[in-house]
Amino acid sequence: SMVHPFDTFYRLKNKGEGSMLVAFGALAIYYVSRVLCDIYSGFSFKIFEPAEYNSFETLLGSVGVAVLFVIVNWGVCVLAEGKGKLKEIFIVTCFALIPEILSSVLTLIFTNVLIPEEAAILTIITMVCHILAIIVLCVGIMAVQEYDFFKFLFTTVLTLLGMALVVFIIFMLFILFQQLFDFIGSLFTEILYR
């Protein structure tokens, strides 16, 4: 998918090639590589202290964002006459994570070899991998949905806005349920004291 994205996603769409098992594997490897990169990076480049690290936040920031993108993109593209199935969008998204996996592995290796003054090399490698992942995702979504570039841009903007809206709604529901449980707890405590 990184070397021949047009051919890969054409075969996915028209010949039914593409494995959910491989997609789930890529998603799992992406999460594990992110965790390993965060914990075992060289001490000069370390962002997190291993004792204070929360892998659940990494799960939400990696797997959660990918799954949210798949669901919201599918919903937006259904309304915008896209021809992609949820399974195809999921496979495309997970295949687009392969450069991100490569970026995490290279970051893990180079942070233990390079000195902080050579961080520009690491930044270039990371940026190239990010750009490659974006290109693979764009080509894959356009191929699966059978969109031209401008319709793809339009649905991508709507997808990003939809993702922000879903995160906002989940955050608001979390706050409302937290207040509800606090109210029920204080009500229960008040009844016990009477």
Side-chain angles (χ1 to χ4, degrees):
S1 66
M2 289 192 312
V3 180
H4 301 290
F6 287 100
D7 184 46
T8 301
F9 297 125
Y10 173 80
R11 290 197 327 244
L12 169 69
K13 180 66 182 170
N14 295 320
K15 297 184 180 179
E17 296 179 11
S19 169
M20 287 291 286
L21 186 62
V22 173
F24 276 115
L27 192 60
I29 292 170
Y30 174 58
Y31 168 66
V32 170
S33 68
R34 287 275 309 266
V35 170
L36 291 175
C37 183
D38 289 344
I39 294 175
Y40 294 112
S41 291
F43 67 91
S44 300
F45 296 90
K46 198 170 291 278
I47 299 171
F48 302 103
E49 282 297 320
E52 299 171 1
Y53 182 70
N54 186 354
S55 63
F56 183 70
E57 291 175 4
T58 304
L59 181 70
L60 289 178
S62 58
V63 175
V65 171
V67 171
L68 181 63
F69 174 81
V70 168
I71 293 170
V72 173
N73 185 267
W74 174 76
V76 166
C77 291
V78 163
L79 297 175
E81 301 174 358
K83 299 193 174 36
K85 299 175 186 155
L86 188 62
K87 173 185 172 184
E88 295 168 344
I89 299 169
F90 180 74
I91 291 172
V92 164
T93 304
C94 291
F95 283 6
L97 292 175
I98 293 172
E100 295 293 327
I101 295 168
L102 182 63
S103 171
S104 294
V105 170
L106 291 175
T107 299
L108 180 61
I109 292 169
F110 285 136
T111 56
N112 287 297
V113 175
L114 299 176
I115 58 174
E117 288 78 19
E118 298 171 330
I121 297 169
L122 190 61
T123 304
I124 291 170
I125 291 171
T126 304
M127 287 304 297
V128 167
C129 289
H130 290 332
I131 291 169
L132 185 59
I134 291 169
I135 290 171
V136 170
L137 183 64
C138 294
V139 169
I141 295 295
M142 285 192 315
V144 165
Q145 299 292 357
E146 297 179 8
Y147 284 161
D148 62 0
F149 183 70
F150 295 108
K151 192 159 187 180
F152 163 75
L153 280 180
F154 175 70
T155 56
T156 301
V157 169
L158 288 180
T159 299
L160 294 176
L161 291 174
M163 288 172 68
L165 182 65
V166 168
V167 169
F168 176 74
I169 290 171
I170 290 172
F171 181 69
M172 290 304 293
L173 285 174
F174 177 75
I175 291 174
L176 286 173
F177 278 117
Q178 186 179 17
Q179 289 179 349
L180 176 68
F181 291 137
D182 288 345
F183 173 73
I184 291 172
S186 63
L187 188 66
F188 185 71
T189 305
E190 192 68 34
I191 289 171
L192 282 178
Y193 283 130
R194 296 222 176 213

